[in-house]
Structures are given as structure tokens and as C-alpha cells.
Tab-separated table of all heavy atoms in Angstrom:
chain	number	residue	atom	x	y	z
A	267	PHE	N	-0.320	-2.367	6.299
A	267	PHE	CA	-0.347	-3.294	7.469
A	267	PHE	C	0.061	-2.567	8.765
A	267	PHE	O	-0.624	-2.693	9.776
A	267	PHE	CB	0.646	-4.436	7.209
A	267	PHE	CG	0.659	-5.444	8.317
A	267	PHE	CD1	-0.328	-6.408	8.411
A	267	PHE	CD2	1.641	-5.410	9.336
A	267	PHE	CE1	-0.300	-7.349	9.402
A	267	PHE	CE2	1.654	-6.332	10.355
A	267	PHE	CZ	0.681	-7.304	10.425
A	268	GLY	N	1.110	-1.770	8.775
A	268	GLY	CA	1.523	-1.103	9.981
A	268	GLY	C	0.513	-0.022	10.391
A	268	GLY	O	0.373	0.262	11.609
A	269	LEU	N	-0.175	0.548	9.442
A	269	LEU	CA	-1.173	1.569	9.766
A	269	LEU	C	-2.362	1.000	10.424
A	269	LEU	O	-2.974	1.616	11.303
A	269	LEU	CB	-1.560	2.305	8.485
A	269	LEU	CG	-0.403	2.879	7.654
A	269	LEU	CD1	-0.957	3.662	6.428
A	269	LEU	CD2	0.462	3.797	8.527
A	270	VAL	N	-2.744	-0.229	10.062
A	270	VAL	CA	-3.828	-0.963	10.751
A	270	VAL	C	-3.463	-1.202	12.209
A	270	VAL	O	-4.256	-0.968	13.065
A	270	VAL	CB	-4.177	-2.294	9.989
A	270	VAL	CG1	-5.170	-3.087	10.787
A	270	VAL	CG2	-4.609	-2.008	8.580
A	271	GLU	N	-2.212	-1.662	12.422
A	271	GLU	CA	-1.765	-1.886	13.763
A	271	GLU	C	-1.799	-0.642	14.587
A	271	GLU	O	-2.000	-0.662	15.817
A	271	GLU	CB	-0.325	-2.464	13.721
A	271	GLU	CG	-0.212	-3.821	13.108
A	271	GLU	CD	-0.905	-4.900	13.835
A	271	GLU	OE1	-0.585	-5.071	15.055
A	271	GLU	OE2	-1.797	-5.640	13.274
A	272	LEU	N	-1.536	0.522	13.936
A	272	LEU	CA	-1.543	1.794	14.660
A	272	LEU	C	-2.922	2.436	14.738
A	272	LEU	O	-3.053	3.582	15.230
A	272	LEU	CB	-0.563	2.766	13.953
A	272	LEU	CG	0.931	2.387	14.067
A	272	LEU	CD1	1.761	3.320	13.165
A	272	LEU	CD2	1.427	2.455	15.488
A	273	ARG	N	-3.921	1.735	14.202
A	273	ARG	CA	-5.323	2.151	14.279
A	273	ARG	C	-5.580	3.461	13.493
A	273	ARG	O	-6.342	4.302	13.917
A	273	ARG	CB	-5.787	2.310	15.741
A	273	ARG	CG	-5.684	0.980	16.502
A	273	ARG	CD	-5.981	1.222	17.994
A	273	ARG	NE	-5.798	-0.021	18.707
A	273	ARG	CZ	-6.768	-0.859	19.101
A	273	ARG	NH1	-8.009	-0.565	18.834
A	273	ARG	NH2	-6.470	-1.950	19.789
A	274	TRP	N	-4.907	3.623	12.382
A	274	TRP	CA	-5.235	4.742	11.492
A	274	TRP	C	-6.649	4.496	10.934
A	274	TRP	O	-7.042	3.371	10.712
A	274	TRP	CB	-4.253	4.829	10.336
A	274	TRP	CG	-2.906	5.410	10.659
A	274	TRP	CD1	-2.190	5.242	11.840
A	274	TRP	CD2	-2.105	6.273	9.870
A	274	TRP	NE1	-1.022	5.920	11.775
A	274	TRP	CE2	-0.955	6.545	10.541
A	274	TRP	CE3	-2.301	6.790	8.569
A	274	TRP	CZ2	0.078	7.366	10.021
A	274	TRP	CZ3	-1.276	7.594	8.054
A	274	TRP	CH2	-0.107	7.864	8.799
A	275	SER	N	-7.368	5.577	10.627
A	275	SER	CA	-8.656	5.452	9.993
A	275	SER	C	-8.496	4.913	8.573
A	275	SER	O	-7.448	5.051	7.959
A	275	SER	CB	-9.397	6.818	9.943
A	275	SER	OG	-8.773	7.635	9.010
A	276	LYS	N	-9.558	4.302	8.026
A	276	LYS	CA	-9.508	3.745	6.684
A	276	LYS	C	-9.203	4.798	5.637
A	276	LYS	O	-8.458	4.580	4.667
A	276	LYS	CB	-10.810	2.987	6.405
A	276	LYS	CG	-11.017	1.755	7.203
A	276	LYS	CD	-11.712	0.693	6.372
A	276	LYS	CE	-11.878	-0.568	7.244
A	276	LYS	NZ	-10.689	-1.406	7.141
A	277	ASP	N	-9.787	5.987	5.789
A	277	ASP	CA	-9.544	7.074	4.826
A	277	ASP	C	-8.081	7.507	4.875
A	277	ASP	O	-7.456	7.708	3.801
A	277	ASP	CB	-10.429	8.287	5.149
A	277	ASP	CG	-11.857	8.022	4.746
A	277	ASP	OD1	-12.143	7.075	3.940
A	277	ASP	OD2	-12.753	8.773	5.205
A	278	ASP	N	-7.495	7.615	6.113
A	278	ASP	CA	-6.086	7.997	6.215
A	278	ASP	C	-5.194	6.906	5.664
A	278	ASP	O	-4.169	7.170	5.078
A	278	ASP	CB	-5.754	8.262	7.688
A	278	ASP	CG	-6.355	9.588	8.176
A	278	ASP	OD1	-6.734	10.405	7.313
A	278	ASP	OD2	-6.432	9.795	9.421
A	279	GLN	N	-5.569	5.633	5.886
A	279	GLN	CA	-4.780	4.557	5.314
A	279	GLN	C	-4.778	4.614	3.816
A	279	GLN	O	-3.690	4.510	3.211
A	279	GLN	CB	-5.394	3.203	5.741
A	279	GLN	CG	-5.208	2.815	7.199
A	279	GLN	CD	-5.850	1.479	7.509
A	279	GLN	OE1	-5.813	0.563	6.711
A	279	GLN	NE2	-6.499	1.366	8.654
A	280	ARG	N	-5.930	4.796	3.197
A	280	ARG	CA	-5.975	4.831	1.728
A	280	ARG	C	-5.152	6.003	1.139
A	280	ARG	O	-4.423	5.894	0.183
A	280	ARG	CB	-7.430	4.912	1.255
A	280	ARG	CG	-8.160	3.561	1.274
A	280	ARG	CD	-9.516	3.679	0.527
A	280	ARG	NE	-10.430	4.519	1.259
A	280	ARG	CZ	-11.295	4.033	2.154
A	280	ARG	NH1	-11.338	2.738	2.418
A	280	ARG	NH2	-12.150	4.817	2.775
A	281	ALA	N	-5.248	7.138	1.845
A	281	ALA	CA	-4.504	8.323	1.377
A	281	ALA	C	-3.009	8.103	1.502
A	281	ALA	O	-2.238	8.443	0.593
A	281	ALA	CB	-4.920	9.546	2.185
A	282	ARG	N	-2.590	7.483	2.619
A	282	ARG	CA	-1.143	7.281	2.807
A	282	ARG	C	-0.613	6.213	1.859
A	282	ARG	O	0.452	6.365	1.289
A	282	ARG	CB	-0.908	6.828	4.250
A	282	ARG	CG	0.546	6.568	4.621
A	282	ARG	CD	1.396	7.789	4.477
A	282	ARG	NE	2.772	7.549	5.003
A	282	ARG	CZ	3.845	8.297	4.640
A	282	ARG	NH1	3.705	9.288	3.793
A	282	ARG	NH2	5.032	7.971	5.138
A	283	VAL	N	-1.373	5.151	1.591
A	283	VAL	CA	-0.966	4.119	0.658
A	283	VAL	C	-0.861	4.719	-0.762
A	283	VAL	O	0.141	4.463	-1.451
A	283	VAL	CB	-1.982	2.933	0.701
A	283	VAL	CG1	-1.669	1.981	-0.479
A	283	VAL	CG2	-1.830	2.205	2.003
A	284	ALA	N	-1.819	5.528	-1.176
A	284	ALA	CA	-1.774	6.112	-2.496
A	284	ALA	C	-0.565	7.016	-2.624
A	284	ALA	O	0.113	7.024	-3.670
A	284	ALA	CB	-3.073	6.873	-2.751
A	285	GLU	N	-0.272	7.778	-1.576
A	285	GLU	CA	0.850	8.664	-1.594
A	285	GLU	C	2.182	7.877	-1.754
A	285	GLU	O	3.057	8.209	-2.565
A	285	GLU	CB	0.929	9.465	-0.284
A	285	GLU	CG	2.165	10.360	-0.127
A	285	GLU	CD	2.234	10.908	1.308
A	285	GLU	OE1	1.330	10.674	2.108
A	285	GLU	OE2	3.266	11.563	1.613
A	286	LEU	N	2.306	6.763	-1.011
A	286	LEU	CA	3.559	5.979	-1.075
A	286	LEU	C	3.662	5.186	-2.384
A	286	LEU	O	4.783	5.087	-2.908
A	286	LEU	CB	3.598	5.057	0.142
A	286	LEU	CG	3.873	5.741	1.438
A	286	LEU	CD1	3.604	4.826	2.624
A	286	LEU	CD2	5.314	6.263	1.517
A	287	LEU	N	2.572	4.632	-2.887
A	287	LEU	CA	2.665	3.921	-4.163
A	287	LEU	C	3.054	4.904	-5.289
A	287	LEU	O	3.825	4.476	-6.181
A	287	LEU	CB	1.330	3.281	-4.478
A	287	LEU	CG	0.984	2.068	-3.547
A	287	LEU	CD1	-0.350	1.461	-3.985
A	287	LEU	CD2	2.053	1.044	-3.498
A	288	ASP	N	2.594	6.103	-5.202
A	288	ASP	CA	3.049	7.104	-6.173
A	288	ASP	C	4.522	7.382	-5.966
A	288	ASP	O	5.283	7.516	-7.005
A	288	ASP	CB	2.216	8.380	-6.023
A	288	ASP	CG	2.613	9.423	-7.024
A	288	ASP	OD1	2.525	9.169	-8.254
A	288	ASP	OD2	3.095	10.513	-6.631
A	289	LEU	N	4.956	7.495	-4.748
A	289	LEU	CA	6.368	7.802	-4.479
A	289	LEU	C	7.322	6.753	-4.993
A	289	LEU	O	8.358	7.060	-5.531
A	289	LEU	CB	6.549	7.972	-2.957
A	289	LEU	CG	7.954	8.311	-2.447
A	289	LEU	CD1	8.306	9.709	-2.813
A	289	LEU	CD2	8.028	8.126	-0.940
A	290	VAL	N	6.931	5.464	-4.887
A	290	VAL	CA	7.826	4.368	-5.306
A	290	VAL	C	7.490	3.861	-6.714
A	290	VAL	O	8.022	2.836	-7.156
A	290	VAL	CB	7.777	3.182	-4.303
A	290	VAL	CG1	8.217	3.666	-2.925
A	290	VAL	CG2	6.387	2.565	-4.244
A	291	GLY	N	6.613	4.568	-7.430
A	291	GLY	CA	6.341	4.215	-8.819
A	291	GLY	C	5.475	3.051	-9.013
A	291	GLY	O	5.590	2.307	-10.027
A	292	LEU	N	4.485	2.800	-8.109
A	292	LEU	CA	3.599	1.651	-8.242
A	292	LEU	C	2.120	2.075	-8.219
A	292	LEU	O	1.216	1.260	-7.950
A	292	LEU	CB	3.810	0.662	-7.107
A	292	LEU	CG	5.150	-0.030	-7.053
A	292	LEU	CD1	5.248	-0.952	-5.823
A	292	LEU	CD2	5.409	-0.859	-8.340
A	293	SER	N	1.859	3.298	-8.652
A	293	SER	CA	0.466	3.743	-8.668
A	293	SER	C	-0.331	2.849	-9.658
A	293	SER	O	0.149	2.514	-10.689
A	293	SER	CB	0.390	5.214	-9.200
A	293	SER	OG	0.949	6.078	-8.246
A	294	GLY	N	-1.537	2.534	-9.239
A	294	GLY	CA	-2.401	1.664	-10.037
A	294	GLY	C	-2.286	0.179	-9.776
A	294	GLY	O	-3.023	-0.612	-10.325
A	295	LEU	N	-1.324	-0.179	-8.915
A	295	LEU	CA	-1.084	-1.628	-8.652
A	295	LEU	C	-1.588	-2.015	-7.279
A	295	LEU	O	-1.242	-3.108	-6.779
A	295	LEU	CB	0.390	-1.953	-8.801
A	295	LEU	CG	1.050	-1.722	-10.142
A	295	LEU	CD1	2.478	-2.216	-10.159
A	295	LEU	CD2	0.244	-2.411	-11.278
A	296	GLN	N	-2.412	-1.195	-6.617
A	296	GLN	CA	-2.796	-1.493	-5.282
A	296	GLN	C	-3.581	-2.774	-5.088
A	296	GLN	O	-3.551	-3.376	-4.023
A	296	GLN	CB	-3.597	-0.317	-4.666
A	296	GLN	CG	-4.899	-0.039	-5.362
A	296	GLN	CD	-4.717	0.936	-6.550
A	296	GLN	OE1	-3.585	1.252	-6.961
A	296	GLN	NE2	-5.839	1.456	-7.052
A	297	ASP	N	-4.258	-3.219	-6.154
A	297	ASP	CA	-5.059	-4.465	-6.038
A	297	ASP	C	-4.325	-5.712	-6.456
A	297	ASP	O	-4.858	-6.813	-6.329
A	297	ASP	CB	-6.332	-4.336	-6.918
A	297	ASP	CG	-7.262	-3.236	-6.412
A	297	ASP	OD1	-7.304	-3.019	-5.143
A	297	ASP	OD2	-7.886	-2.553	-7.270
A	298	ARG	N	-3.058	-5.563	-6.855
A	298	ARG	CA	-2.308	-6.745	-7.303
A	298	ARG	C	-1.874	-7.640	-6.100
A	298	ARG	O	-1.550	-7.103	-5.051
A	298	ARG	CB	-1.063	-6.297	-8.047
A	298	ARG	CG	-1.251	-5.697	-9.376
A	298	ARG	CD	-1.250	-6.742	-10.492
A	298	ARG	NE	-1.385	-6.069	-11.762
A	298	ARG	CZ	-0.325	-5.745	-12.509
A	298	ARG	NH1	0.889	-6.020	-12.120
A	298	ARG	NH2	-0.506	-5.147	-13.679
A	299	ARG	N	-1.843	-8.914	-6.324
A	299	ARG	CA	-1.257	-9.795	-5.360
A	299	ARG	C	0.274	-9.711	-5.483
A	299	ARG	O	0.797	-9.480	-6.564
A	299	ARG	CB	-1.647	-11.278	-5.658
A	299	ARG	CG	-3.103	-11.559	-5.366
A	299	ARG	CD	-3.392	-11.753	-3.896
A	299	ARG	NE	-4.767	-12.043	-3.609
A	299	ARG	CZ	-5.229	-12.332	-2.432
A	299	ARG	NH1	-4.348	-12.445	-1.423
A	299	ARG	NH2	-6.496	-12.608	-2.211
A	300	VAL	N	0.983	-9.870	-4.382
A	300	VAL	CA	2.397	-9.664	-4.459
A	300	VAL	C	3.099	-10.716	-5.298
A	300	VAL	O	4.180	-10.508	-5.846
A	300	VAL	CB	3.034	-9.622	-3.005
A	300	VAL	CG1	2.581	-8.419	-2.260
A	300	VAL	CG2	2.725	-10.910	-2.233
A	301	GLN	N	2.448	-11.890	-5.423
A	301	GLN	CA	3.052	-12.992	-6.239
A	301	GLN	C	3.005	-12.604	-7.728
A	301	GLN	O	3.715	-13.131	-8.564
A	301	GLN	CB	2.300	-14.279	-6.086
A	301	GLN	CG	2.321	-14.843	-4.665
A	301	GLN	CD	1.021	-14.477	-3.943
A	301	GLN	OE1	0.523	-13.348	-4.104
A	301	GLN	NE2	0.507	-15.400	-3.157
A	302	GLN	N	2.206	-11.603	-8.104
A	302	GLN	CA	2.118	-11.144	-9.489
A	302	GLN	C	3.112	-10.070	-9.828
A	302	GLN	O	3.203	-9.630	-10.953
A	302	GLN	CB	0.692	-10.632	-9.753
A	302	GLN	CG	-0.401	-11.670	-9.623
A	302	GLN	CD	-1.802	-11.022	-9.751
A	302	GLN	OE1	-2.203	-10.173	-9.012
A	302	GLN	NE2	-2.513	-11.507	-10.781
A	303	LEU	N	3.914	-9.658	-8.845
A	303	LEU	CA	4.843	-8.588	-9.039
A	303	LEU	C	6.263	-9.084	-9.355
A	303	LEU	O	6.611	-10.240	-8.934
A	303	LEU	CB	4.932	-7.690	-7.783
A	303	LEU	CG	3.595	-7.080	-7.283
A	303	LEU	CD1	3.889	-6.266	-6.048
A	303	LEU	CD2	3.011	-6.206	-8.387
A	304	SER	N	7.051	-8.321	-10.031
A	304	SER	CA	8.453	-8.656	-10.261
A	304	SER	C	9.226	-8.419	-8.989
A	304	SER	O	8.756	-7.832	-8.001
A	304	SER	CB	9.044	-7.738	-11.357
A	304	SER	OG	9.123	-6.403	-10.924
A	305	GLY	N	10.505	-8.888	-8.979
A	305	GLY	CA	11.296	-8.720	-7.809
A	305	GLY	C	11.504	-7.253	-7.452
A	305	GLY	O	11.480	-6.848	-6.277
A	306	GLY	N	11.688	-6.410	-8.476
A	306	GLY	CA	11.900	-4.982	-8.228
A	306	GLY	C	10.640	-4.333	-7.675
A	306	GLY	O	10.676	-3.463	-6.803
A	307	GLN	N	9.482	-4.776	-8.169
A	307	GLN	CA	8.237	-4.237	-7.647
A	307	GLN	C	7.971	-4.666	-6.225
A	307	GLN	O	7.486	-3.878	-5.378
A	307	GLN	CB	7.064	-4.656	-8.527
A	307	GLN	CG	7.064	-3.984	-9.903
A	307	GLN	CD	6.028	-4.584	-10.849
A	307	GLN	OE1	5.763	-5.818	-10.789
A	307	GLN	NE2	5.442	-3.765	-11.722
A	308	GLN	N	8.307	-5.921	-5.879
A	308	GLN	CA	8.181	-6.373	-4.514
A	308	GLN	C	9.079	-5.598	-3.562
A	308	GLN	O	8.689	-5.236	-2.465
A	308	GLN	CB	8.506	-7.856	-4.444
A	308	GLN	CG	7.439	-8.753	-5.073
A	308	GLN	CD	7.790	-10.216	-4.939
A	308	GLN	OE1	8.428	-10.634	-3.933
A	308	GLN	NE2	7.336	-11.026	-5.852
A	309	GLN	N	10.259	-5.271	-4.029
A	309	GLN	CA	11.166	-4.444	-3.228
A	309	GLN	C	10.568	-3.098	-2.935
A	309	GLN	O	10.653	-2.551	-1.826
A	309	GLN	CB	12.529	-4.325	-3.947
A	309	GLN	CG	13.622	-3.750	-3.094
A	309	GLN	CD	13.759	-2.254	-3.253
A	309	GLN	OE1	13.084	-1.643	-4.065
A	309	GLN	NE2	14.591	-1.654	-2.420
């Protein structure tokens, strides 16, 4: 969301999101709705 506001390119957005989801242990969940996540995953 913040990257869209900063006008990052779509490729850069995808790369940064993938990097961060890997960092916080959520790789593979990029398509999930947040309502489908546990409290720890939402955090």
C-alpha cells in the first residue's frame, strides 16, 4: 500500500513485497485475504 502511494513500479513493488513476506515468515500467502489469517499472521 505505501509503495503505491510512493509510485514505485509494479515490478519493484512485487520484489519488495516478496522480500518482506519472506523476512516475516509469510512467503506464499500473498494472495490470502487478511480475514483468513491468524492474529500472529496479521501482526
Side-chain angles (χ1 to χ4, degrees):
F267 183 81
L269 306 182
V270 174
E271 296 293 305
L272 292 173
R273 299 173 186 259
W274 283 38
S275 72
K276 294 214 178 272
D277 286 344
D278 287 343
Q279 288 179 39
R280 280 192 291 268
R282 181 61 173 159
V283 170
E285 174 190 356
L286 288 167
L287 291 182
D288 180 61
L289 181 69
V290 300
L292 294 179
S293 293
L295 299 185
Q296 63 271 11
D297 295 326
R298 290 270 185 95
R299 292 280 182 175
V300 293
Q301 299 98 321
Q302 298 175 298
L303 304 178
S304 68
Q307 290 172 327
Q308 290 184 27
Q309 191 267 354

